[in-house]
Amino acid sequence: MFVGAIFFPLLGACLSGFLGRWLGDRLAQWSTVACMALAAVCGSLAFGQVAMGSHPATFPLLTWMDVGGLEFSWALRYDTLSVVMVAMVTFISTLIHLYSVGYMSHDATPARFFAYLSLFTFMMLMLVTADNLAQLFFGWEGVGLASYLLIGYWYDRESANRAAMKAFIVNRVGDVFFMLGVALTFFVFGSIEFDTIFANVAEHANDRFAGLPAIELIGVLLFLGACGKSAQIGLHTWLPDAMEGPTPVSALIHAATMVTAGVFLMARMSPIMEYAPVALQIVTVVGATTAIFAATIGCVQNDIKRVIAYSTCSQLGYMFFAAGVGAYQVAIFHLFTHAFFKALLFLGAGSVIHAMSDEQDIRRMGGIWTKIPVTYAVMWIGSLALAGIPFFAGYYSKDAILEAAFAAHSAVGIYAFVCGILAAFLTAFYSWRLLILTFHGKPRADHHTMEHVHESPAVMLIPLLLLAVGAVLTGAIFAPFFIGEHEHEFWNGAIFNGAHNHIMHAMHEVPEWVPLAPTVVGVVGIVLAYVMYMFAPGIPARLAATFRGAYRFLLNKWYFDELYDMIFVQPLRRLAFQFWKVGDARIIDGMPNGAAGIAAGVARGAVRLQTGRVANYAFTMIIGLVIFVSLFLIGR
Amino acid sequence: MNAAGFPLLTLLTFLPLAGAAIIMSVRGTDEVVASNARWTALWTSLIVFLLSLILWVKFDRASSGFQFEEKLAWLPEFGVGYHMGVDGISVLFVLLSTALTPLCILASWESIQVRVREYMVAFLILETMMVGMFAALDFIVFYVFFEAVLIPMFLIIGVWGGPRRVYAAFKFFLYTLLGSVLMLLAILYLWYNAGTTDIPALFEYAVPRSAQTWIFFAFLCSFAVKVPMWPVHTWLPDAHVEAPTAGSVILAGVLLKMGAYGFLRFTLPLLPEASADFAPLIFVLSIVAIVYTSMVALAQEDMKKLIAYSSVAHMGIVTLGIFTFNQQGLSGALFTMLAHGVVSGALFLCVGVLYDRLHSREILRYGGTARVMPAYALVFMLFTMASIGLPGTANFVGEFLVIVGAWRINPWVAFGAATGMVLGACYMLWLYRRVSFGAITRDDVRALLDLSPREYAVFAPLIILTLWMGIYPQPFLSFFEATVAALVARHEAALSISRLAGM
């Protein structure tokens, strides 16, 4: 069961990837779906046993490396933290597989697509069940590879290839820091296995490395790694471009796999992070900044998937600052609920795109809500959950995050709280902007497209409905376990809160207005969206014209891409060319070639004596040998 | 006698020569000769490979000493003997050489059509030289093999190479030969003072501190060219570009390891103080190699040149790992050498597959090959990812260990090594994207055929090795565990003695 949850997806990937040609498309698809379903069953059973029944376990598989004290194995570690992720990932991924059967039905190579999807899921599962940092890194890089393949799935499009490469390389930048963090961990603890590290943190709490506190440095390095994978500000640029992949891929990247890895890492390393207060402050500030930064961009984007992508970026910011103030449980809870409603939103968007004959620009949609009522309804549910409207899933987790930030009573905590409230307002605003522009108003698509607008087939609607149920209920059902009164038994030590860290209690004792604030700003945001896009549609255009600079700044995503292109990409290219043409060709080769030119004149005479060139050199070699040997013999 | 019960290493070394002799004696029409030459060469190299598996089975992994030793007095009055043997450092390189040779012969099956007999003879002689070099335990014997390797390689590039083959062959030959002359001087000095050229005996001889520096630089000149280290690397891209596919495979897979092997076998044990003194120099050169050549690789328009430059960057990781003098770094360097032998060899074969079909190495000539060659795309992707060092493939294990080892010396050195991770991803993905992805624009690309059964046979062992070494590297790591531990211990002991003497 425990092993099955992880390896069924791999089996599915192999079946579909290697035998796809013999099985045929239909059989290949359904066999991967079946494998995923089996994995989900195993995952749920494991969740029952480990999390609800409090039976953590570790399954060693194979020694990986054992070099001079650096020793670690392939193993599956099942504690509450990992089993929550396993259950969530397998469940969501199964629904996405099912949905893809419908969504990719017109594709030329669906077997390849399903192989990638299952591989992606497998890598994520390896990541969350890792027993040591190296195996975590295996999954970490593995999801990078799978996302690269999936984003570039339509590889004859230039833009898809560019986006795929960008995703991989930006992730790699983060990975460098992760790798260095692992090296430092080994340097400090003499091991990279979690059990050994966690048992010895207190002992090494005051270690210093190169004049800096070692634990803090580990925390910062690992966080920088997490920034790459979880698209935090600075290393976020790959995430919006990742929209080039088919929509189910976006759902998988944003909901279940990949981007949540960074948050998971913070929670997994909580025993170390708890001894690294400065690192945690950095996490909080970066998370809060990302939350507000991505939300501002989300307000002006016109691609339906991009808007949702920026909302993911923003929600990840929430999770990070929750971890930053020490409320890892809350961060994981938001990750868990977010998975449901974000998958729902993306798959819903996919359904819209499917209906609109692959149109993604919301300026060319509108007036379709009567034609695709189920999609419309689930998009509403997803948006309500995202905006944190009471009793939907997002309400429980997002409110808890803001309460925790407030309860931290620190400068960075308040900064995070303010950013979080503002972002909550913007989130509600852009969610309803999206809903209204997509579904209401006069149809802005051409006549031909409008004729073909149709509801998606059942194989796509069933996952949507299941996810909608999740988006409504998961918050209310699981809140007591993740963050409520059963919190302690549920986590069972999988997440560590230091002795000084009382945030899990303090967050329940905040002033009355704090839990109300997010709901209020959420509703205000919704109302504003209605005013601006439904009742007085002239306002947005006038605003954009009045604040032209600000509008362009947001529309161009704070000019991050242009900046990076200017600072890194262009100079690198130019330098690479200079190194090659000047460094290698002129300077390094110039010297021997120049010397050869002088020597050539001298040698020309000598060469004539020889019949063949090889013999010439062999002869020189032997003569040289003789001379040297003789010299030494004489010398003796 | 030794663990095998018969002179195994001598047999491994000289059996290919017997095969070469048989090929030489074949008479008949060109076609008969060519076919006979191919089959004889393949069978000879396969038998050698099977014999070499005895090493894998019988090698005592717990021992740090030399095994399978053979000794004959050759020139006893000069202290020069014929001495063969392997330890944990060299045994896997013998295996790598014997494993790559049959694959190379198979890869040249159809692409070599002129002077097939001579080509196969050259390859078998090359195998003799490679195996002999890794198994030699006498400095003179080593030197003879070390230099003699150049001759068949020179011929392979110069006769069966591309249009600029003569320039490339000479550049290759001159560069590598010039470096070696200084090493010969150093060998003579050692022999003059120690009275022997037997390597285990030399280990007992403490080289005076003053001489160490000079010998170190003499060795450095020779080994750095072979590695190749920056800035003496420019012969490599030219040699690779002009060499036939199989020649590139051996060049990248085995010949590049000779320099690093030299560092491990001679520089470190013989010159501990000088090695420690000049380690920072090596670190700087290695990091420059990693960053500089990775960037140059980014600008390349020729597939083989790009992979050649990536080899230089990977060898930077190796030299960096060697001079960390700790177990992780050294094991990582050794493992990277093996992994690079397999992976870059495979990448050159991947280029060869396309070159055989369209006779062009220009990257822009292709594009969209994934559509018509899905199996090839998968294989190429696997080796691309392996070259990037994705965990689960062979290169990762080595790079990871080197970075961990380097961190113990200096975090900035580790950071320098780690930048290679990003740059490596840039140039390899950029290559893959332009070759395999994109829309097909040319008709001859659209008509390409996917891998043939022969090509599957060539790639299959390399794929298995890459994944095996990545997922379960312990059987490989266990070979050098004891030897590396002994080497580190020796090194530290030597340093502490000199420190005491200095006080």
Side-chain angles (χ1 to χ4, degrees):
Chain A
M1 173 178 83
F2 293 106
V3 179
I6 313 301
F7 285 96
F8 272 124
L10 182 64
L11 177 70
C14 292
L15 276 180
S16 164
F18 296 125
L19 305 178
R21 237 180 285 177
W22 289 277
L23 291 176
D25 287 347
R26 276 197 80 73
L27 198 58
Q29 289 179 25
W30 284 107
S31 57
T32 40
V33 174
C35 284
M36 271 316 303
L38 282 172
V41 171
C42 292
S44 310
L45 290 175
F47 181 78
Q49 190 172 335
V50 175
M52 295 306 178
S54 303
H55 285 295
T58 302
F59 303 89
L61 300 175
L62 193 68
T63 306
W64 193 0
M65 280 182 231
D66 178 6
V67 179
L70 176 62
E71 189 185 348
F72 49 91
S73 305
W74 296 97
L76 303 180
R77 176 193 179 95
Y78 272 97
D79 58 10
T80 305
L81 180 60
S82 50
V83 87
V84 163
M85 296 294 289
V86 169
M88 184 275 283
V89 169
T90 51
F91 182 74
I92 303 262
S93 178
T94 305
L95 294 181
I96 291 172
H97 273 73
L98 193 61
Y99 177 92
S100 307
V101 173
Y103 192 84
M104 301 301 282
S105 57
H106 305 304
D107 196 77
T109 52
R112 185 164 67 92
F113 181 76
F114 276 81
Y116 291 170
L117 271 191
S118 287
L119 180 71
F120 202 174
T121 314
F122 166 71
M123 288 299 182
M124 187 67 190
L125 293 170
M126 284 304 273
L127 192 162
V128 295
T129 54
D131 186 44
N132 54 63
L133 282 168
Q135 189 185 335
L136 202 149
F137 192 65
F138 169 77
W140 192 262
E141 290 274 272
V143 291
L145 165 68
S147 66
Y148 164 76
L149 293 171
L150 281 167
I151 294 167
Y153 175 72
W154 285 311
Y155 55 72
D156 32 19
R157 294 186 193 168
E158 255 327 279
S159 56
N161 287 330
R162 199 178 307 127
M165 251 181 87
K166 188 171 170 187
F168 196 91
I169 290 166
V170 173
N171 267 298
R172 266 268 153 154
V173 175
D175 294 348
V176 166
F177 294 105
F178 187 102
M179 188 89 138
L180 295 175
V182 177
L184 178 59
T185 311
F186 176 68
F187 184 82
V188 174
F189 294 99
S191 170
I192 55 170
E193 299 214 302
F194 290 141
D195 287 331
T196 322
I197 300 172
F198 297 163
N200 296 312
V201 180
E203 234 173 86
H204 293 281
N206 296 318
D207 281 18
R208 297 187 88 74
F209 180 79
L212 298 164
I215 304 274
E216 296 275 13
L217 201 55
I218 293 177
V220 172
L221 285 171
L222 291 182
F223 171 64
L224 285 173
C227 276
K229 202 109 293 186
S230 289
Q232 292 302 287
I233 189 165
L235 293 176
H236 67 280
T237 51
W238 65 272
L239 190 66
D241 287 15
M243 295 300 107
E244 287 295 337
T247 309
V249 177
S250 316
L252 199 55
I253 290 180
H254 287 254
T257 58
M258 188 94 177
V259 295
T260 55
V263 184
F264 170 80
L265 179 71
M266 291 294 108
R268 173 55 85 207
M269 300 313 283
S270 57
I272 283 188
M273 300 308 286
E274 282 295 272
Y275 284 90
V278 179
L280 279 181
Q281 284 181 0
I282 296 173
V283 174
T284 313
V285 171
V286 172
T289 311
T290 307
I292 183 87
F293 146 81
T296 56
I297 298 177
C299 292
V300 298
Q301 295 300 310
N302 292 318
D303 182 312
I304 183 168
K305 284 164 76 181
R306 258 173 211 271
V307 177
I308 307 177
Y310 276 106
S311 93
T312 305
C313 203
S314 166
Q315 298 301 311
L316 287 166
Y318 277 95
M319 297 176 206
F320 270 101
F321 75 70
V325 297
Y328 310 97
Q329 291 90 332
V330 186
I332 294 295
F333 186 42
H334 193 54
L335 191 162
F336 183 74
T337 57
H338 174 258
F340 286 89
F341 57 75
K342 191 46 64 73
L344 176 63
L345 283 171
F346 262 114
L347 296 185
S351 181
V352 172
I353 294 166
H354 199 69
M356 298 293 293
S357 316
D358 294 333
E359 178 60 64
Q360 301 197 8
D361 193 327
I362 50 177
R363 286 170 300 186
R364 286 198 285 276
M365 294 184 182
I368 54 175
W369 69 277
T370 44
K371 295 192 176 180
I372 45 174
V374 182
T375 306
Y376 178 61
V378 297
M379 286 295 277
W380 255 90
I381 294 174
S383 299
L384 285 168
L386 175 64
I389 300 304
F391 314 118
F392 286 90
Y395 165 74
Y396 294 91
S397 50
K398 199 192 249 180
D399 260 25
I401 288 179
L402 291 169
E403 286 160 27
F406 187 85
H409 292 300
S410 58
V412 290
I414 294 302
Y415 171 69
F417 178 72
V418 172
C419 287
I421 291 283
L422 283 174
F425 166 71
L426 293 172
T427 305
F429 172 74
Y430 66 66
S431 298
W432 263 263
R433 170 176 175 268
L434 180 78
L435 275 181
I436 295 166
L437 286 178
T438 307
F439 293 102
H440 293 278
K442 276 200 212 89
R444 294 181 294 276
D446 58 61
H447 184 66
H448 186 69
T449 313
M450 287 306 292
E451 265 180 2
H452 286 87
V453 174
H454 56 279
E455 191 58 278
S456 301
V459 72
M460 285 164 73
L461 289 183
I462 292 168
L464 283 177
L465 292 172
L466 285 172
L467 285 170
V469 173
V472 178
L473 294 179
T474 44
I477 294 177
F478 289 104
F481 297 104
F482 280 80
I483 53 171
E485 60 265 40
H486 305 301
E487 176 250 317
H488 205 69
E489 307 90 81
F490 179 77
W491 290 106
N492 197 18
I495 288 177
F496 175 77
N497 292 107
H500 56 281
N501 183 349
H502 303 298
I503 193 92
M504 292 310 293
H505 297 288
M507 61 181 266
H508 295 299
E509 289 152 14
V510 288
E512 289 285 312
W513 61 271
V514 173
L516 275 178
T519 311
V520 172
V521 298
V523 172
V524 173
I526 296 173
V527 171
L528 187 69
Y530 265 103
V531 170
M532 281 176 67
Y533 292 96
M534 198 115 170
F535 304 122
I539 297 181
R542 241 177 295 144
L543 274 180
T546 323
F547 302 102
R548 198 165 167 70
Y551 177 70
R552 300 217 44 93
F553 184 64
L554 292 180
L555 192 66
N556 287 303
K557 304 159 258 173
W558 293 32
Y559 291 103
F560 262 102
D561 282 328
E562 287 75 9
L563 194 69
Y564 284 176
D565 194 57
M566 212 169 69
I567 303 179
F568 299 114
V569 181
Q570 292 306 331
L572 195 70
R573 278 209 185 148
R574 239 171 287 145
L575 203 58
F577 199 75
Q578 290 297 323
F579 274 164
W580 179 31
K581 286 295 182 196
V582 179
D584 262 24
R586 253 190 246 152
I587 299 174
I588 296 177
D589 267 2
M591 284 186 283
N593 284 352
I598 299 163
V602 183
R604 210 161 286 138
V607 167
R608 239 177 264 142
L609 299 174
Q610 299 299 323
T611 45
R613 281 174 170 181
V614 184
N616 184 8
Y617 286 99
F619 185 72
T620 316
M621 207 170 101
I622 296 163
I623 293 281
L625 197 72
V626 169
I627 291 171
F628 285 128
V629 172
S630 329
L631 274 176
F632 270 91
L633 286 176
I634 293 162
R636 198 153 73 161
Chain B
M1 182 150 182
N2 65 42
F6 60 95
L8 175 64
L9 290 171
T10 302
L11 196 62
L12 287 180
T13 307
F14 294 105
L15 198 59
L17 282 187
I22 296 173
I23 294 175
M24 292 296 274
S25 67
V26 174
R27 291 284 173 274
T29 61
D30 279 357
E31 258 172 59
V32 174
V33 170
S35 154
N36 270 325
R38 287 187 187 118
W39 283 107
T40 314
L42 183 63
W43 278 110
T44 311
S45 58
L46 276 178
I47 291 168
V48 171
F49 173 63
L50 290 177
L51 276 174
S52 69
L53 286 180
I54 296 176
L55 289 175
W56 176 272
V57 179
K58 290 254 178 105
F59 187 86
D60 177 11
R61 294 164 198 212
S63 145
S64 64
F66 291 102
Q67 302 179 34
F68 299 96
E69 274 186 281
E70 295 160 28
K71 237 174 176 167
L72 276 176
W74 183 21
L75 303 167
E77 61 272 32
F78 294 110
V80 179
Y82 174 80
H83 189 180
M84 302 288 258
V86 286
D87 66 353
I89 292 174
S90 52
V91 60
L92 288 180
F93 292 105
V94 173
L95 281 163
L96 182 70
S97 311
T98 59
L100 283 180
T101 308
L103 293 178
C104 284
I105 289 171
L106 206 54
S108 321
W109 210 254
E110 281 157 14
S111 57
I112 300 296
Q113 291 295 346
V114 289
R115 302 190 198 189
V116 179
R117 175 163 64 174
E118 289 78 2
Y119 181 86
M120 293 301 166
V121 168
F123 245 94
L124 289 175
I125 294 177
L126 187 60
E127 184 175 18
T128 293
M129 300 307 165
M130 294 186 302
V131 174
M133 198 221 42
F134 286 120
L137 281 186
D138 184 279
F139 222 143
I140 295 296
V141 179
F142 169 83
Y143 185 76
V144 169
F145 282 123
F146 191 76
E147 294 304 313
V149 165
L150 298 181
I151 298 167
M153 200 64 214
F154 173 79
L155 291 174
I156 288 170
I157 297 175
V159 178
W160 291 274
R164 272 167 39 100
R165 57 181 183 260
V166 174
Y167 169 75
F170 271 90
K171 201 169 174 184
F172 162 72
F173 199 87
L174 284 178
Y175 254 103
T176 45
L177 189 68
L178 284 175
S180 309
V181 173
L182 290 169
M183 182 169 81
L184 185 64
L185 280 176
I187 294 176
L188 289 170
Y189 171 90
L190 285 173
W191 165 74
Y192 189 66
N193 287 287
T196 178
T197 53
D198 191 62
I199 292 167
L202 275 177
F203 286 172
E204 305 302 318
Y205 169 72
V207 183
R209 185 70 195 259
S210 54
Q212 282 201 13
T213 307
W214 296 109
I215 298 180
F216 181 86
F217 277 102
F219 281 172
L220 182 66
C221 286
S222 171
F223 298 146
V225 173
K226 289 264 159 99
V227 166
M229 289 168 77
W230 187 87
V232 285
H233 63 278
T234 51
W235 63 269
L236 184 73
D238 283 317
H240 267 308
V241 165
E242 300 305 328
T245 302
S248 292
V249 173
I250 291 292
L251 192 55
V254 184
L255 264 56
L256 291 195
K257 311 303 175 300
M258 288 162 49
Y261 174 74
F263 280 125
L264 282 165
R265 174 61 80 228
F266 303 110
T267 308
L268 242 55
L270 291 178
L271 316 166
E273 286 106 337
S275 305
D277 289 346
F278 292 105
L281 172 74
I282 303 286
F283 290 151
V284 171
L285 289 179
S286 304
I287 290 172
V288 170
I290 293 168
V291 176
Y292 179 102
T293 53
S294 295
M295 286 173 67
V296 175
L298 205 54
Q300 296 307 309
E301 286 139 18
D302 181 307
M303 291 193 268
K304 268 190 156 178
K305 243 184 178 165
L306 194 152
I307 298 170
Y309 274 110
S310 86
S311 292
V312 182
H314 280 128
M315 294 320 281
I317 300 259
V318 171
T319 47
L320 200 154
I322 290 173
F323 282 84
T324 57
F325 312 118
N326 58 44
Q327 224 177 331
Q328 284 84 27
L330 281 165
S331 298
L334 274 163
F335 203 88
T336 307
M337 284 157 77
L338 289 172
H340 176 264
V342 174
V343 172
S344 74
L347 280 171
F348 279 115
L349 286 170
C350 285
V351 175
V353 166
L354 288 180
Y355 185 77
D356 286 351
R357 286 165 173 69
L358 289 186
H359 299 285
S360 170
R361 297 178 314 262
E362 201 190 330
I363 295 173
L364 296 176
R365 182 72 184 66
Y366 297 91
T369 54
R371 169 99 38 217
V372 284
M373 305 170 76
Y376 171 74
L378 180 70
V379 172
F380 192 18
M381 173 56 78
L382 175 81
F383 290 117
T384 299
M385 285 298 156
S387 172
I388 292 172
L390 201 77
T393 61
N395 277 17
F396 169 73
V397 179
E399 275 181 36
F400 175 74
L401 289 172
V402 169
I403 289 175
V404 169
W407 186 282
R408 293 172 61 177
I409 305 298
N410 183 329
W412 291 108
V413 172
F415 182 76
T419 50
M421 284 173 52
V422 178
L423 291 168
C426 292
Y427 62 71
M428 284 314 288
L429 292 182
W430 180 230
L431 169 69
Y432 193 85
R433 170 179 161 189
R434 288 178 293 172
V435 171
S436 278
F437 290 159
I440 300 180
T441 49
R442 287 164 185 269
D443 287 336
D444 51 358
V445 174
R446 192 167 291 125
L448 283 177
L449 294 175
D450 209 346
L451 297 180
S452 68
R454 180 182 59 83
E455 285 163 338
Y456 273 115
V458 173
F459 281 119
L462 296 173
I463 292 171
I464 293 169
L465 265 179
T466 306
L467 293 177
W468 180 15
M469 287 169 77
I471 293 168
Y472 189 47
Q474 205 49 44
F476 299 87
L477 288 168
S478 66
F479 269 103
F480 35 79
E481 173 100 40
T483 314
V484 167
L487 188 62
V488 173
R490 253 183 66 91
H491 182 78
E492 278 164 5
L495 285 191
S496 63
I497 288 171
S498 78
R499 242 178 255 128
L500 281 177
M503 273 198 311

